[in-house]
């Protein structure tokens, strides 16, 4: 099968939202009047971002999910995406699964494939995603203020637990492992929550490299510090609630696990009811895990407010 | 050096055109009222699209150039781009050269880096480019009509000559090789010509996989056929004009060489003066090389109109 047959068979679908579908030199996008276009791109490499054994449908889901998560962190509504794909060869069964998982999530969010590129090479998936947001309403990393609460969506640490179980550094009961593995392989981007938080959250970022590292982006951009309640953050690990792992490993997973694709965001205490309401509207759990301080630096404490000596890193591809 | 230091040192520059620069979850773009956004993405893989020995500054240039060429083929004005980069490790001298070549071309076209991703992995460069075009004015592949002239910009076949010289299948005089190599490593995207052809050309595509293959996209989208003058097309090889190569190899390079990043476009005969004027305004050579027929299929003839028996393929990554 050649390059163009491959595109036609697995990736070309009738255009709905774009004035021009897949198959010209460019796709054309027309944001509605008063809207800005939010753009993000993420590249997934075999062996770095996913294991070669992953189910291709789950990989298709995840490749788009990590990009939709960036739109969610800006409060943008998904519109369209491009897909560039390098593959060692044409594997029809892989392509069938990958495109099925990809389009299932795309359809769920009304996000249309409008263009891309395919080439031979080591497996690499690069998606650029487009969303729209009313001009001036995007959630940024730079809006946190001293006194704001820090919130996190959903659950943290499960993807890392699954990764460690794959690596053999810990053991999980079969049902816990299955649940954690789903969180690692099929994260649910918090798209509805992100949009519901527009006008309420003062800043937001999505958790891809770990809570501590990604919260650090908000602190740096907003020029503030924070106090983080490690027990509150660890309390939102879903899969490991009752599997007998020690506090230290659970804290590591929750605070610097990475691959969570949850939102960490800030909002003034006066907006607590509005945040709870945004969570309810989007059927997404929201948990308060700390507060923004005027003093620079991140202080990590336990539920009693006592400092924790454990150190937490952040994922970095080059360190 | 970590991922974020690397981005700050080599890729972060003050935002000019985007409401938000590099460093949030998304970039924000706001096309002017009445404008559509043209979007294209291309992925370059080491060993497939470039040799490992290529000068990194030339590679930075080429990675953006092939994307700007897609905007040119739509008649769009460049605005911004995202860059996703997988690298085996941090090589500062490579990054310095790559970013220098990339930004030199970006600045030439007023095209701003607004976001991206860096990760460890086999060298892979994925750029998504954004341009703007008045709503309804984009040059498409689907607009060619029987009777239209077929035109090509600039020169064809030189990149392929350089590749064959690298492969050792032919020899070129040193000055001819240097000229051909520049065409392969630093193609000039026909951005000004593309915009000048809006309202004049009936269809356009950029030549990346070879003239015959890419013209084929116009024929398929426009549901027409064509007669192509192989001698006229071969006449626009720049580097090989006087290096004594045979007709057959020159025709192969010009008609199916690939990597040219020229525009092949159509326009009614009544628009010949307008096409020449667009070429003059953009300081780009334009050459008439055939005509669109109502009859399906592509007929390749010599200057006398006699059919040519030589077959011409098109580059395909998976065949």
């Amino acid at each position: 099968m050649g390059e163009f047959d491959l595109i036609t068979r697995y990736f070309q679908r009738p255009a709905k939202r774009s004035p021009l579908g897949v198959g010209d030199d460019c796709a054309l996008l027309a944001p509605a009047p008063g809207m800005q276009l939010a753009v993000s791109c993420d590249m997934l490499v075999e062996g770095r971002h996913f294991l070669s054994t992953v189910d291709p449908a789950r990989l298709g889901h995840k490749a788009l999910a990590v990009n939709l998560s960036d739109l969610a962190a800006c409060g943008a509504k998904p519109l369209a995406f491009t897909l560039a794909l390098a593959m060692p060869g044409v594997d029809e069964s892989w392509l069938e699964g990958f495109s099925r998982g990809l389009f299932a999530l795309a359809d769920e969010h009304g996000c249309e494939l409008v263009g891309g590129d395919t080439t031979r090479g080591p497996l690499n998936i690069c998606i650029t995603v487009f969303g729209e947001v009313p001009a001036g309403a995007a959630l940024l990393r730079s809006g946190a203020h001293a006194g704001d609460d820090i919130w996190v969506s959903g659950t943290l640490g499960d993807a890392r637990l699954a990764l460690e179980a794959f690596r053999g550094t810990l053991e999980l009961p079969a049902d816990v492992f299955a649940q954690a593995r789903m969180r690692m392989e099929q994260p649910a981007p918090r798209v509805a929550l992100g949009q519901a938080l527009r006008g309420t959250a003062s800043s937001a970022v999505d958790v891809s490299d770990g809570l501590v590292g990604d919260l650090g982006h908000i602190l740096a951009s907003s020029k503030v510090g924070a106090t983080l309640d490690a027990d509150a953050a660890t309390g939102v690990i879903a899969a490991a609630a009752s599997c007998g792992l020690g506090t230290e490993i659970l804290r590591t997973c929750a605070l610097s696990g990475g691959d969570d694709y949850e939102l960490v965001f800030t909002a003034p205490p006066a907006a607590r009811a509005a945040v709870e309401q945004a969570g309810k509207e989007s059927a997404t759990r929201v948990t308060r895990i700390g507060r923004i301080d005027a003093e620079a630096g991140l202080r990590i404490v336990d539920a009693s407010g006592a400092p924790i000596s454990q150190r937490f890193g952040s994922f970095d591809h080059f360190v």
Side-chain angles (χ1 to χ4, degrees), chain A residues 259-270:
Chain A
D259 235 12
D260 297 302
Y261 304 103
E262 296 293 353
L263 300 185
V264 54
F265 57 97
T266 61

Side-chain angles (χ1 to χ4, degrees), chain A residues 28-45:
Chain A
L28 296 174
L29 294 177
M35 300 301 253
Q36 289 176 328
L37 207 69
V39 179
S40 185
C41 92
D42 270 305
M43 180 177 260
L44 275 69
V45 177

Side-chain angles (χ1 to χ4, degrees), chain A residues 14-21 78-82 103 106 110-115:
Chain A
K16 278 177 287 191
R17 316 184 71 174
S18 162
L20 186 68
L79 282 182
F81 68 106
T82 59
F103 283 125
C111 193
E112 184 166 275
L113 178 65
V114 292

Side-chain angles (χ1 to χ4, degrees), chain A residues 187-208:
Chain A
R190 301 305 185 183
V191 171
L193 177 65
Q195 290 173 76
L197 286 172
R198 288 198 312 237
T200 295
S202 52
S203 73
V205 68
D206 80 318
V207 183
S208 54

Side-chain angles (χ1 to χ4, degrees), chain A residues 133-147:
Chain A
V133 61
L139 303 176
L140 305 183
R141 298 176 174 185
S142 54
H145 291 99

Side-chain angles (χ1 to χ4, degrees), chain A residues 116 147 170 213 293:
Chain A
L170 53 77
D293 303 327

Side-chain angles (χ1 to χ4, degrees), chain A residues 208-241:
Chain A
S208 54
D209 297 332
L211 174 63
V212 163
D214 288 313
L215 175 59
H217 295 311
I218 287 183
L219 304 187
S221 293
S222 300
K223 302 188 174 60
V224 293
T227 303
L228 186 67
D229 178 344
D231 289 330
T234 304
V236 298
I237 297 181

